[in-house]
Amino acid sequence: MERSSNMRQEVLIIIPAYNEVEGIRHVIDNVRVQIPYADILVINDGSNDSTGDEAAKEGVLVVNLSCNLGIGGAVQTGYQYAHKHGYRYAAQLDGDGQHNPCDFDRMLEELRSGSTDMIVGSRFMKKEGFQSTFSAESALICWQDC
């Protein structure tokens, strides 16, 4: 995908994280490599470790929740942040690295084509192994008049 300088402040990657101090830097680095034009927001979901501090050292946006809200509350906080701060596109990638950001450009291109308003991605499409609830899946959302 062709990169443009105006994409910053247009695309936000939301990373909900709970006690992910050991891996958060790797997740942030992976997003920076795969989606270099995006802003990154880590939602530190009331971690008992230094997840929020480690993310802040990486120079990304961080929201530190005072208590653990769970994945739903953390993701909701991220999307509220995106909407409040005027991002046009927002996507969630898990803080433990289980979502691969390499397909993001393809999803963003699909949204920009105007044929859809929201994309939900799942690593469980093959229906093998553990089956998650809808709320634990990743989504890419387009705000306003995409």
Side-chain angles (χ1 to χ4, degrees):
M1 164 174 248
E2 183 177 321
R3 310 292 196 255
S4 67
S5 60
N6 68 346
M7 290 182 86
R8 280 227 184 260
Q9 194 62 25
E10 183 181 47
V11 177
L12 180 68
I13 301 300
I14 301 161
I15 304 174
Y18 178 71
N19 292 337
E20 298 293 348
V21 70
E22 296 297 323
I24 196 66
R25 182 183 301 152
H26 174 73
V27 173
I28 291 168
D29 288 346
N30 199 14
V31 171
R32 283 182 171 150
V33 167
Q34 298 291 330
I35 317 169
Y37 52 86
D39 289 338
I40 300 170
L41 171 67
V42 172
I43 306 295
N44 178 28
D45 191 16
S47 296
N48 298 317
D49 63 11
S50 57
T51 296
D53 293 337
E54 193 67 25
K57 286 180 194 174
E58 293 299 309
V60 300
L61 302 164
V62 178
V63 171
N64 289 301
L65 300 177
S66 60
C67 64
N68 179 255
L69 298 180
I71 187 69
V75 170
Q76 184 177 10
T77 299
Y79 284 118
Q80 287 174 341
Y81 182 99
H83 190 261
K84 180 179 178 182
H85 289 87
Y87 287 91
R88 186 161 186 192
Y89 303 99
Q92 173 231 326
L93 299 174
D94 282 355
D96 60 6
Q98 61 183 313
H99 294 146
N100 189 340
C102 71
D103 291 324
F104 181 82
D105 282 348
R106 194 168 43 131
M107 292 189 295
L108 185 58
E109 286 177 23
E110 183 67 27
L111 277 176
R112 288 187 170 178
S113 75
S115 63
T116 188
D117 293 326
M118 179 177 169
I119 296 173
V120 177
S122 175
R123 63 187 184 280
F124 302 115
M125 293 298 291
K126 294 182 181 180
K127 302 287 185 195
E128 296 174 359
F130 173 77
Q131 298 298 304
S132 175
T133 62
F134 175 77
S135 64
E137 303 302 318
S138 61
L140 178 63
I141 295 179
C142 175
W143 305 115
Q144 300 151 355
D145 56 331
C146 298

